[in-house]
Amino acid sequence: MPMIDPERLEHGLVATFAAAGASREEAALIARHLVEASLRGHDSHGVGLMPSYLDAIRTGHMRLGRPLAIIRDLGALVVCDAGHGAGQVMAHEAMKLGIARARAHGMAVIALRDAHHVGRIGHWAEQCAEAGLVSIHFVNVPRSPAVAAFGGIQARLGTNPFAAGFPHPGAPPVIVDFATSRWAVGKVRVAMNKGELLPEGILLDAQGNPSVDPSLFFADPAGVLLPFGEHKGFGLALACELLAGALTGGATQDGSRGESVSNSMLSILLPPGSFAGDADYAERVEKLASWLMRDRESGRAALMPGEPEITRRRQRLTEGLPIDQTTWDAMTTAAAARGISDLLASPLP
Ligand code: NAD
């Protein structure tokens, strides 16, 4: 498997997205997000998405150069319409706005509706945590039904991710970030590209029979993913659909299928200073983390959410990004079609 230098690849991605029509700032935000997701081990949401993003730009499903439109502004609550702008740009702007509003009003709720794919949701929780804020994010994936309702066999909901981020002064933030399906779609695609089978309990084939063959998810008729945690994961997925879609006025599942992925996201930003105070919060988080991780003293591998990503990032910064040959071929072909003949040889920005 090729091991790719993340820094050189990031320059190549910036050059490729710029060649596809993105402004310098848009290209930098998209490239940064994809490289960070890969560095943190979420290959399903990393650099391998580049060919599909380029396709979405070509077909107009990802619209470049869009300003974030504010539809309703109540100060602490802002409804934004992304108009299918690049998700990495729209969500970045929406979180910047949310951070400013949370500082001004003691808390903020930001509804971001109808963006192109916003990628790894933990990235947005990290942006808030870097600013010292706790945040909660509910996301839907309209027109991309992939997951059965609990007890059902047809695709009804998206993989509707949930994330929450908590600053942990003196340590990396606690980042809880996952799809509400047992596996994210991109993870099933990565398994298919690597020629691997799935564990049991992830997938049903088009007839509703359990299967471990990832290619059946992409077959016609398509298979369906199962929610995690049985009725509980289904309930959280539905809450994501209702909060990110129905409540914000963004698109919700209506039986249609889009050609490209879009997301709406409801984010709640909470400064610890609005509650018991920054110092009190910092002390409690630290005490709780030590209590939770006490099993480490006996050699157990207990981890805080967010920790596996930090460890993987450290490792991949030195070893490089492992990218399977199928994905790498698709990336280099897509870049070449935009005039970037060597993805790893773009000049430094
Ligand atoms: P996952 O199953 O890998 O779970 C990741 C979460 O679990 C992280 O918070 C991680 O720190 C934590 N974790 C992992 N191992 C742990 C351990 N041993 N102990 C404690 N915590 C641990 O995530 P996933 O469901 O495969 O989702 C992958 C990514 O896909 C996420 O970043 C998600 O936001 C993204 N996603 C995006 C969309 C979209 O439409 N934009 C849709 C679905 C998923």
Side-chain angles (χ1 to χ4, degrees):
M1 195 181 297
M3 296 295 280
I4 305 296
D5 180 315
E7 200 181 341
R8 288 169 68 196
L9 179 57
E10 187 167 340
H11 298 151
L13 292 181
V14 172
T16 307
F17 284 115
S23 68
R24 176 101 216 132
E25 198 197 351
E26 284 178 314
L29 283 171
I30 299 168
R32 183 96 282 269
H33 184 107
L34 297 182
V35 169
E36 273 300 324
S38 289
L39 279 171
R40 288 167 196 264
H42 290 290
D43 296 328
S44 58
H45 287 69
V47 296
L49 289 177
M50 177 262 256
S52 66
Y53 279 17
L54 291 176
D55 267 355
I57 292 170
R58 187 179 49 78
T59 56
H61 290 102
M62 183 200 289
R63 298 184 192 149
L64 295 169
R66 278 200 95 85
L68 184 67
I70 295 185
I71 301 298
R72 169 169 283 223
D73 190 344
L74 303 179
L77 189 157
V78 186
V79 180
C80 308
D81 191 323
H84 298 276
Q88 280 75 15
V89 179
M90 297 290 107
H92 176 79
E93 290 302 318
M95 291 308 100
K96 248 171 63 180
L97 178 67
I99 290 163
R101 294 303 176 89
R103 285 183 177 146
H105 299 280
M107 59 92 63
V109 178
I110 303 292
L112 174 68
R113 68 191 194 201
D114 298 331
H116 191 261
H117 191 232
V118 299
R120 179 181 154 260
I121 311 308
H123 193 96
W124 312 120
E126 282 156 11
Q127 187 180 344
C128 297
E130 267 164 37
L133 304 186
V134 170
S135 66
I136 312 168
H137 309 263
F138 301 91
V139 177
N140 79 335
V141 199
R143 300 195 198 93
S144 300
V147 186
F150 178 63
I153 59 165
Q154 298 286 330
R156 297 291 175 208
L157 285 175
T159 51
N160 293 5
F162 167 84
F166 304 85
H168 181 179
V174 179
I175 302 292
V176 178
D177 169 32
F178 48 72
T180 49
S181 50
R182 279 207 57 201
W183 272 31
V185 169
K187 226 166 157 179
V188 179
R189 182 176 287 108
V190 170
M192 181 176 72
N193 288 347
K194 287 184 178 168
E196 292 171 355
L197 294 178
L198 304 177
E200 284 178 11
I202 306 284
L203 179 71
L204 303 179
D205 67 17
Q207 287 71 45
N209 303 308
S211 173
V212 293
D213 178 356
S215 70
L216 294 184
F217 179 72
F218 302 99
D220 187 12
V224 61
L225 299 175
L226 293 171
F228 85 90
E230 302 180 318
H231 57 289
K232 304 177 192 188
F234 169 57
L236 184 56
L238 178 57
C240 287
E241 190 68 36
L242 290 168
L243 289 166
L247 185 68
T248 67
T252 54
Q253 301 296 345
D254 58 5
S256 62
R257 266 179 197 275
E259 284 170 41
S260 190
V261 185
S262 66
N263 287 137
S264 292
M265 173 162 76
L266 184 88
S267 301
I268 302 168
L269 287 73
L270 305 167
S274 298
F275 297 83
D278 288 324
D280 184 271
Y281 166 81
E283 194 184 321
R284 284 168 192 263
V285 174
E286 181 48 35
K287 268 196 188 150
L288 191 56
S290 321
W291 161 249
L292 285 169
M293 295 297 110
R294 203 169 284 175
D295 286 346
R296 287 181 183 187
E297 289 164 15
S298 57
R300 300 282 166 180
L303 298 171
M304 291 293 280
E307 247 190 307
E309 284 79 5
I310 296 289
T311 307
R312 187 63 57 80
R313 187 176 192 279
R314 211 174 289 129
Q315 179 194 352
R316 289 187 167 187
L317 274 173
T318 49
E319 292 174 6
L321 303 178
I323 302 180
D324 67 80
Q325 196 62 53
T326 309
T327 303
W328 184 242
D329 290 346
M331 290 173 68
T332 49
T333 305
R338 296 292 185 292
I340 307 297
S341 57
D342 185 347
L343 206 38
L344 297 178
S346 293
L348 299 186

